[in-house]
Amino acid sequence: MNNQITYTTFNRTNCIDHSRDHEDIIKQYNINSVIEFGVGEGTNVFLENCTGKITSVELYTADYDLAKLLKISTDEWVDYSINQFKNYNNWNAVKYQVQSDIINAEYDVTGKGDRGVARGNAPSNINYIVELSNLIDTLNVSEYDMAFVDPGIHLRGDIVNLLFNKVNIITAHDFNTQNIYGYSRISAPNTYNSFSGNYSNEGLGIFIKKEL
C-alpha cells in the first residue's frame, strides 16, 4: 500500500486483479452472499455475480494525518464507496473507526512506532486481536458463504485467523506481500485446504473448508 487510499488515489488496475479468481470461486461453489473487509471498485465483482447479501466492512481512521503516516483508510474513502454502491438493495456497509489497540499495532507493523518493532514484524502485544475479535463478533459472519479480506489496514492475516471455522470460504488479497499484511501469521486449521489464486498479480490466498 504505497499511498493512502482515497477516492483520488484509488488504482483500479491493482486493486481489482482478484475479480477473475472470485468469479471462478463464486461459480464453482455457488456463492450467494459475501462479507468483505475493505470496500472499493472490487466490490463490483460480488454485486454483479451474487444475488444474496453483500456486506462491506471498512476499518478506518478519521485522523487524516495518522492515515497518511500509517497508509491506512480514511472515512473519505468509505463515504465515497457508500455513495457509489448505495443503490444496490442487497448491499450494506459497516464503518468501523479503529481504536487505540489497532492503531498501536499499525504503528508497529509499519515500523512507525516507538516500541522497537521493525516494519513487517508482528505487533508488540496482542491487544489488537481482542479489538478485531470484538468487531467480528458483531458481524454474524457465519451467515455468509464467503469472506474476502482486503481492508485499508495491515492486520489482514489476523482477520483471516479470526474467520476460520466461522466462514467456509475465505480469500485474502495482496497475498504476495506476506509480512506487512500479517499473512505470515496465518495458522490455517487442518479443516481447511489452502490455495493460491491463478490470476491476481498481487496474490490471492484462498482457504476452503474441506467438507465442501
Side-chain angles (χ1 to χ4, degrees):
M1 211 186 307
N2 294 323
N3 297 296
Q4 177 189 349
I5 300 176
T6 70
Y7 68 90
T8 55
T9 61
F10 192 87
N11 188 318
R12 182 181 178 91
T13 301
N14 287 339
C15 294
I16 62 169
D17 69 348
H18 56 79
S19 293
R20 189 173 174 186
D21 283 314
H22 276 132
E23 288 170 355
D24 289 349
I25 294 169
I26 289 167
K27 182 177 181 180
Q28 181 173 349
Y29 290 94
N30 194 28
I31 301 299
N32 191 46
S33 58
V34 178
I35 184 165
E36 62 168 355
F37 292 82
V39 63
E41 297 294 337
T43 302
N44 282 302
V45 70
F46 307 123
L47 292 172
E48 292 171 0
N49 291 279
C50 302
T51 58
K53 185 177 181 180
I54 308 298
T55 297
S56 301
V57 183
E58 189 58 274
L59 294 85
Y60 73 95
T61 178
D63 184 332
Y64 281 57
D65 290 335
L66 181 66
K68 184 176 181 179
L69 175 67
L70 299 179
K71 307 295 190 296
I72 61 178
S73 287
T74 67
D75 53 345
E76 178 187 35
W77 172 246
V78 181
D79 291 340
Y80 169 76
S81 298
I82 289 173
N83 185 65
Q84 185 177 26
F85 300 122
K86 64 183 179 182
N87 292 329
Y88 287 90
N89 293 328
N90 63 328
W91 179 80
N92 71 296
V94 175
K95 296 171 62 175
Y96 179 76
Q97 186 168 349
V98 294
Q99 302 302 303
S100 59
D101 288 330
I102 287 179
I103 290 171
N104 288 338
E106 286 288 326
Y107 270 112
D108 282 348
V109 301
T110 57
K112 301 291 186 179
D114 58 4
R115 287 175 287 274
V117 179
R119 177 179 171 84
N121 286 353
S124 56
N125 66 63
I126 61 171
N127 293 344
Y128 72 99
I129 297 289
V130 176
E131 184 178 346
L132 287 173
S133 181
N134 288 341
L135 169 63
I136 289 172
D137 285 346
T138 69
L139 299 172
N140 298 317
V141 295
S142 61
E143 296 180 354
Y144 298 87
D145 298 326
M146 182 171 74
F148 175 46
V149 178
D150 190 24
I153 64 170
H154 299 90
L155 306 172
R156 301 181 185 183
D158 304 290
I159 295 174
V160 172
N161 281 332
L162 291 168
L163 293 173
F164 284 131
N165 295 319
K166 295 183 177 72
V167 186
N168 288 334
I169 299 176
I170 305 163
T171 60
H173 194 221
D174 298 313
F175 210 72
N176 293 339
T177 312
Q178 288 279 307
N179 290 338
I180 191 62
Y181 290 118
Y183 290 137
S184 57
R185 295 194 294 275
I186 289 177
S187 180
N190 59 13
T191 51
Y192 282 78
N193 287 317
S194 303
F195 306 93
S196 296
N198 294 319
Y199 306 108
S200 172
N201 292 328
E202 303 300 319
L204 187 72
I206 304 167
F207 303 91
I208 299 176
K209 205 77 173 289
K210 289 181 179 179
E211 64 192 36
L212 295 183

